[in-house]
Amino acid sequence: MESTLVIIKPNGVKGGIIGEIISRFEKSRLSVSGLKAKSLTKQEAEGFYAEHKERGFFGELVGFMTSGPVILIALSGEKAVEKVRTINGATNPANASAGTIRHDFAPNTGENIVHSSDSAASAAREIAFWFEKSELVSYPAYSYLK
Ligand code: IDP
Ligand code: MG
C-alpha cells in the first residue's frame, strides 16, 4: 500500500474534467484518501514547488497555479506513485502516451492539467503539506467498476 498526491490544476477545474480525472484513478483501483478544493495563495504555491525555485519557469508556474481553484487529492493503493505518474503521462503533453490525462487534455507543458508526486518520499511530504492527519481516511478497496 502506498499513497500519492495529485493536484488537478486550474485549467482542469475550469475545464469541467474533475470527475473524468478522478474516475481514471478509481478505475485503476486507487482510493481517495483525501480531497479538497482550494484557491492557493502565492506563498502556498511557492512553498509547494520550492524545489523548482531556481528554474526559469518558476514564476509562470506559481502564476498559473494561483490563477484559479485547484483540487487536492491524496490517493492510496498498490504502487500508487508509479500508477498515477503513468495515468497522468509525460510532463510535456507532446510526449505523453495516448490515453493519458496529459495527452488527452493538456494544451502545453506549463498548463499540463495534473500534478503527481514523483516518489514515495515526495508523496509523504506533499500530502502532509496540504492535509492534516484528521482529513485523511482509508477504506477497504473494492470496485463496482468493471
Ligand atoms: P512533473 O509535474 O511531471 O513532475 P516537473 O519537472 O516536476 O514535472 O515540473 C513541475 C511542473 O512545472 C510541471 O508539471 C509543469 O507544469 C511545470 N514545468 C516544467 N517544465 C516546464 C517548462 O519547461 N516550461 C513551463 N513549465 C514547466
Ligand atoms: Mg514533479
Side-chain angles (χ1 to χ4, degrees), residues 6 8 12 17-25 101 105 113-114:
V6 166
I8 304 179
I17 52 173
I18 296 169
E20 163 76 26
I21 291 169
I22 293 177
S23 182
R24 291 185 183 204
F25 299 134
I101 291 169
F105 302 113
I113 301 282
V114 277

Side-chain angles (χ1 to χ4, degrees), residues 4-111:
T4 191
L5 182 89
V6 166
I7 304 178
I8 304 179
K9 299 185 178 186
N11 59 340
V13 174
K14 289 175 188 161
I17 52 173
I18 296 169
E20 163 76 26
I21 291 169
I22 293 177
S23 182
R24 291 185 183 204
F25 299 134
E26 286 189 306
K27 283 173 181 163
S28 294
R29 304 296 188 263
L30 294 164
S31 54
V32 175
S33 296
L35 183 66
K36 64 173 86 166
K38 191 168 170 56
S39 293
L40 307 189
T41 64
K42 183 164 182 272
Q43 193 179 14
E44 285 171 331
E46 286 174 348
F48 180 75
Y49 280 116
E51 66 182 304
H52 297 302
K53 68 173 182 288
E54 307 304 335
R55 311 282 292 276
F57 59 79
F58 187 66
E60 185 191 327
L61 176 60
V62 169
F64 175 59
M65 292 303 287
T66 55
S67 67
V70 302
I71 304 294
L72 304 166
I73 312 167
L75 290 170
S76 302
E78 214 174 290
K79 296 195 170 173
V81 171
E82 184 190 331
K83 240 184 201 178
V84 171
R85 298 284 294 183
T86 302
I87 293 166
N88 284 359
T91 305
N92 180 346
N95 300 328
S97 301
T100 62
I101 291 169
R102 285 165 167 173
H103 172 275
D104 291 351
F105 302 113
N108 54 58
T109 302
E111 301 173 334

Side-chain angles (χ1 to χ4, degrees), residues 121-136:
S122 301
R125 177 177 56 76
E126 293 179 358
I127 290 169
F129 191 94
W130 300 114
F131 292 95
E132 301 289 341
K133 278 218 166 67
S134 62
E135 295 176 308
L136 297 168

